[in-house]
């Protein structure tokens, strides 16, 4: 198994600031917007973006939630035992602009699950997708990100592995070959 570094800590930081700027352009003060990290790994990206928006751009209040999609997955109960995470949303999304945040967009199935799961919290006026890594040639569903950090062309046997300082001890993105 070999690993190739796709993004260093410095490159990730630059991308996060660019994504925060793009969010600011489209959502201004975030009064009608909710940022929702897809459990488990989208949480780290969502928290980082909120931190940048509050610190660098002085946004006072941002609705931030974490959505568990485990029980909405189309492969739930089909062999592998999936570990559920917790949904943490102390707001309704009714008539809000929702931005789903996930680290890697691969087949699109996780986002399809998130679209179903979010309906438990109201009907958003609009849903966008922000992803750090877009594996653009691997879609099973017609889902595309509104905001993307980096596009990666990887074959199906390769895996994109995103490491976060808070969870993994470093900020890095690897392309792992078997």
């Amino acid at each position: 198994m070999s690993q190739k570094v796709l993004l260093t800590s410095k490159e990730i930081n630059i991308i996060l600031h660019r994504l925060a700027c793009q969010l600011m352009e489209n959502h201004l003060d975030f009064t009608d917007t909710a940022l929702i990290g897809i459990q488990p790994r989208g949480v780290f990206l969502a928290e980082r973006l909120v931190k940048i928006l509050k610190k660098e751009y002085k946004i006072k209040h941002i609705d931030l939630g974490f959505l568990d999609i485990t029980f909405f997955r189309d492969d739930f109960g089909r062999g592998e035992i999936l570990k559920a995470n917790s949904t943490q949303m102390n707001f309704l999304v009714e008539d809000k602009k929702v931005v789903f945040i996930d680290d890697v967009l691969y087949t699109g199935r996780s986002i399809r699950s998130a679209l179903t799961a979010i309906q438990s919290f109201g009907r958003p006026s609009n849903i966008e997708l922000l992803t750090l890594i877009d594996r653009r040639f691997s879609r099973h569903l017609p889902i595309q990100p509104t905001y993307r950090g980096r596009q990666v062309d990887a074959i199906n046997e390769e895996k994109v592995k995103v490491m976060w300082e808070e969870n993994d001890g470093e900020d890095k993105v690897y392309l792992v070959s078997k």
Side-chain angles (χ1 to χ4, degrees):
M1 181 164 73
S2 66
Q3 289 189 139
K4 174 186 171 190
V5 175
L6 291 178
L7 296 174
T8 64
S9 177
K10 183 177 180 179
E11 291 167 322
I12 290 171
N13 190 46
I14 291 167
I15 288 171
L16 291 178
H17 279 81
R18 178 174 46 82
L19 291 170
C21 285
Q22 290 173 346
L23 285 170
M24 282 288 303
E25 288 174 9
N26 292 334
H27 297 278
L28 301 175
D29 64 0
F30 291 85
T31 53
D32 295 326
T33 302
L35 302 182
I36 299 177
I38 306 296
Q39 288 277 22
R41 312 253 337 145
V43 170
F44 304 112
L45 178 55
E47 288 176 330
R48 288 279 190 91
L49 288 168
V50 167
K51 186 177 176 183
I52 291 168
L53 290 166
K54 287 183 173 183
K55 184 178 177 188
E56 304 286 328
Y57 300 102
K58 311 298 184 220
I59 303 296
K60 291 178 180 27
H61 176 77
I62 300 173
D63 283 331
L64 173 64
F66 308 127
L67 184 64
D68 180 33
I69 61 168
T70 304
F71 300 112
F72 298 92
R73 291 174 46 140
D74 59 7
D75 60 350
F76 181 73
R78 292 185 178 190
E80 180 185 347
I81 296 175
L82 302 171
K83 181 182 177 236
N85 296 286
S86 62
T87 291
Q88 300 171 25
M89 297 207 342
N90 60 357
F91 53 87
L92 294 176
V93 298
E94 190 71 30
D95 294 325
K96 284 192 177 240
K97 298 172 195 162
V98 166
V99 181
F100 285 144
I101 300 173
D102 207 0
D103 60 349
V104 178
L105 176 58
Y106 182 30
T107 63
R109 292 184 184 280
S110 293
I111 302 308
R112 191 223 39 93
S113 300
L115 289 166
T116 304
I118 198 66
Q119 294 173 15
S120 301
F121 297 92
R123 184 177 180 183
S125 64
N126 186 41
I127 298 177
E128 298 177 331
L129 173 60
L130 181 149
T131 185
L132 181 65
I133 302 293
D134 175 12
R135 288 186 60 162
R136 62 184 176 159
F137 296 131
S138 304
R139 281 314 168 270
H140 294 178
L141 300 169
I143 293 174
Q144 299 299 321
T146 313
Y147 313 94
R148 73 173 51 91
R150 173 75 52 90
Q151 285 184 329
V152 174
D153 299 335
I155 58 176
N156 287 334
E157 291 78 38
E158 296 174 318
K159 181 178 180 183
V160 176
K161 185 175 174 184
V162 179
M163 310 289 284
W164 294 106
E165 177 73 37
E166 300 87 341
N167 190 62
D168 307 301
E170 67 175 340
D171 286 339
K172 258 193 189 136
V173 178
Y174 295 99
L175 182 63
V176 181
S177 301
K178 295 181 182 184

